[in-house]
Amino acid sequence: MSIFDQLLADNRIPRFVRVRHEMDRSHIEDIGAAVKEALKREGTLDQIRPGNTVCITAGSRDVANIDKIIRAICDEVKAVGGRPFIIPAMGSHAGAQAEGQRAIIEGYGVTEEAMGAPIRSSMETEILGYSKDGLEIHIDKYANAADYLIPVGRVKAHTDFRGPVESGICKMLVIGMGKQHGAYQCHKLGFPNMAKNVMEFADVIIRKKPNMFAVGLVENAYHQTCRIEAVPAEKILEEEPLLLECAKKRMAKIPFEKADILFVDEIGKDISGSGMDPNITGRSPSLGISAPYFQRIAVFGLTEKSHGNFAGLGNADVSTERVYQQLDFEQTYPNGITSAEPVALKIPVIMPDDRTAMQFALRTATDCDWKKGPRIVWLKNTLSLSEFYISEALAQDAEALDNVEIVSGPLEVVFDEKGAVRGLR
């Protein structure tokens, strides 16, 4: 028996019940038809001329239907005589390496063969202009050489700053297409200045590159596409804030204001820029702690698609040896260097396995009602809030909610001989 087993032996892991969390399910069924309809808007597809080269962006997040969306855009561009190509647009992700960024979008099905268009991946940029603070505004060299630009961005709440625009079209222009150089310039003055910088930088890019329209995407709480909008260049700064309002209304949230502990099976860059979305966990390295309030957060795994990038792990209190063995510093630290934000790159307490990580969280959560038992929420990841587990102590709270249904009896957590979770039964 290890010293951890000895010290944590008294911390009994409670039983859990499975709950179903009902949220707005409305979404788009025919993605291709929705893209085609969106591109009928005046000032978008009608501006492309036969023979024009058209640069389309693909980001690093696991955006719902991104392969179908980009394929449909490529098809519509070709239908009017344009010559589309795709660039990975993701700042410094994939270790700020061109081939790594190409591999990320290919992992989402955005390949040359599937899209019917070439992929041009480079970290080289060119300077388009300067901000009011004298900061350089960069753009990908291939994007700058194209006759026409189509930034494609999922619009949503950002993990670390608030403003009229957060994650979405403008951030794709500034951070994604700016690559490492441009992303660093925008982050250089810190997250408190990000909202201002993103809009200011985007305004310069739009004025310098008016041959552009954007495709803004909104997802529902089930990670399904629910809105596709084509936005002419001159309307981007006006209309993206409206799309953000829509996205925030549709955003999934944990249906409890406060609990003691959060268990998360997996985090990763494909799930959130912060590994696990602070809008869900209530912890952000720049925005601090907010609802839902958890005393402790335990993380048990890292997604394969994250490629060892553990950004956001520092927002947890404890993790596992399995996660630690997956950490890739060359994949991760370029994000911290670029964003000038090292807090989320920190490594929490590492326990040998899932069981001891759970017990560590239980032992160190000091403000619990131990007579009733610890109040725990257990998620697969922060994109999966339609069904999850809660400890028995939270069941009464769940029963009081109209949109939450308990769908199982109390279940014991079952571990294998190495302390990894095998399931609940």
Side-chain angles (χ1 to χ4, degrees):
M1 179 180 288
S2 74
I3 185 62
F4 304 121
D5 290 322
Q6 294 176 43
L7 294 174
L8 299 171
D10 293 338
N11 293 99
R12 188 183 70 82
I13 295 166
R15 296 191 301 179
F16 289 82
V17 297
R18 189 169 183 85
V19 297
R20 183 173 296 125
H21 180 203
E22 192 61 39
M23 299 168 284
D24 186 349
R25 292 178 177 271
S26 57
H27 64 281
I28 296 170
E29 294 283 356
D30 191 331
I31 297 297
V35 170
K36 187 171 185 175
E37 184 64 28
L39 297 189
K40 290 179 181 179
R41 182 176 181 180
E42 185 178 355
T44 61
L45 190 66
D46 59 321
Q47 300 299 303
I48 297 174
R49 300 292 173 255
N52 281 171
T53 56
V54 181
C55 174
I56 302 166
T57 69
S60 61
R61 303 292 185 264
D62 191 5
V63 176
N65 299 304
I66 192 60
D67 54 339
K68 295 178 182 177
I69 291 165
I70 292 180
R71 174 65 199 231
I73 295 171
C74 288
D75 289 346
E76 294 304 308
V77 167
K78 286 190 279 189
V80 297
R83 295 185 291 140
F85 68 90
I86 299 159
I87 65 165
M90 55 189 76
S92 63
H93 296 176
Q97 299 294 318
E99 285 308 305
Q101 294 199 348
R102 181 187 181 111
I104 284 178
I105 66 171
E106 288 178 339
Y108 299 138
V110 181
T111 64
E112 292 188 344
E113 181 179 15
M115 299 300 102
I119 295 172
R120 298 174 185 170
S121 185
S122 172
M123 297 306 295
E124 294 184 42
T125 59
E126 295 170 358
I127 298 173
L128 275 186
Y130 297 85
S131 73
K132 294 175 183 176
D133 294 312
L135 300 172
E136 298 172 352
I137 299 172
H138 290 248
I139 189 170
D140 174 272
K141 71 171 186 177
Y142 290 122
N144 199 32
D147 296 316
Y148 215 87
L149 302 178
I150 306 178
V152 181
R154 176 177 58 190
V155 179
K156 64 184 289 291
H158 195 271
T159 57
D160 295 307
F161 72 86
R162 296 288 175 260
V165 301
E166 296 177 23
S167 284
I169 297 165
C170 288
K171 185 167 173 278
M172 178 61 74
L173 287 170
V174 175
I175 307 295
M177 295 173 70
K179 300 304 178 84
Q180 195 279 331
H181 299 296
Y184 172 64
Q185 292 294 316
C186 192
H187 285 87
K188 205 171 184 178
L189 300 180
F191 276 109
N193 293 288
M194 278 293 288
K196 175 182 76 72
N197 278 353
V198 167
M199 292 194 76
E200 184 182 327
F201 281 37
D203 183 49
V204 171
I205 294 170
I206 291 166
R207 285 189 284 108
K208 294 280 188 177
K209 307 292 290 186
N211 289 345
M212 171 198 312
F213 70 85
V215 175
L217 313 172
V218 176
E219 294 179 6
N220 66 16
Y222 294 88
H223 191 35
Q224 297 169 308
T225 310
C226 63
R227 189 169 175 181
I228 300 173
E229 295 285 345
V231 185
E234 68 276 10
K235 295 288 187 179
I236 291 173
L237 293 175
E238 174 187 342
E239 295 187 12
E240 184 173 354
L242 303 178
L243 290 174
L244 179 59
E245 288 179 17
C246 173
K248 286 186 175 182
K249 289 177 182 177
R250 304 296 297 272
M251 184 171 65
K253 293 182 179 179
I254 290 172
F256 307 104
E257 182 71 14
K258 183 179 180 181
D260 299 319
I261 299 169
L262 175 65
F263 291 166
V264 183
D265 283 334
E266 60 180 9
I267 70 169
K269 270 293 190 182
D270 52 317
I271 293 168
S272 168
S274 293
M276 50 182 174
D277 190 342
N279 296 299
I280 305 301
T281 67
R283 286 198 193 178
S284 164
S286 59
L287 296 175
I289 298 175
S290 59
Y293 300 95
F294 294 104
Q295 294 180 58
R296 297 289 178 261
I297 298 178
V299 169
F300 308 128
L302 189 64
T303 66
E304 184 178 345
K305 288 183 178 179
S306 199
H307 302 283
N309 188 323
F310 63 91
L313 185 60
N315 290 324
D317 299 292
V318 60
S319 191
T320 65
E321 180 71 25
R322 183 174 70 256
V323 170
Y324 185 76
Q325 293 300 327
Q326 292 177 269
L327 306 188
D328 188 322
F329 300 104
E330 290 188 0
Q331 286 285 325
T332 310
Y333 286 168
N335 288 152
I337 293 169
T338 301
S339 66
E341 178 52 82
V343 174
L345 305 183
K346 291 185 176 181
I347 299 171
V349 170
I350 300 297
M351 285 286 106
D353 48 49
D354 298 344
R355 183 182 63 247
T356 49
M358 289 180 178
Q359 291 175 312
F360 181 93
L362 287 162
R363 171 60 67 92
T364 58
T366 56
D367 188 23
C368 297
D369 185 340
W370 293 109
K371 290 183 179 179
K372 293 182 177 179
R375 294 155 50 87
I376 304 172
V377 175
W378 188 351
L379 305 177
K380 177 183 179 183
N381 57 53
T382 55
L383 283 177
S384 303
L385 274 81
S386 58
E387 290 197 13
F388 52 91
Y389 293 100
I390 60 172
S391 60
E392 284 186 284
L394 260 180
Q396 187 173 352
D397 296 63
E399 289 170 346
L401 297 172
D402 293 335
N403 63 335
V404 177
E405 177 188 5
I406 296 174
V407 294
S408 80
L411 303 168
E412 297 279 355
V413 184
V414 179
F415 301 93
D416 65 17
E417 65 280 0
K418 293 183 179 180
V421 173
R422 288 181 57 188
L424 291 90
R425 65 185 183 197

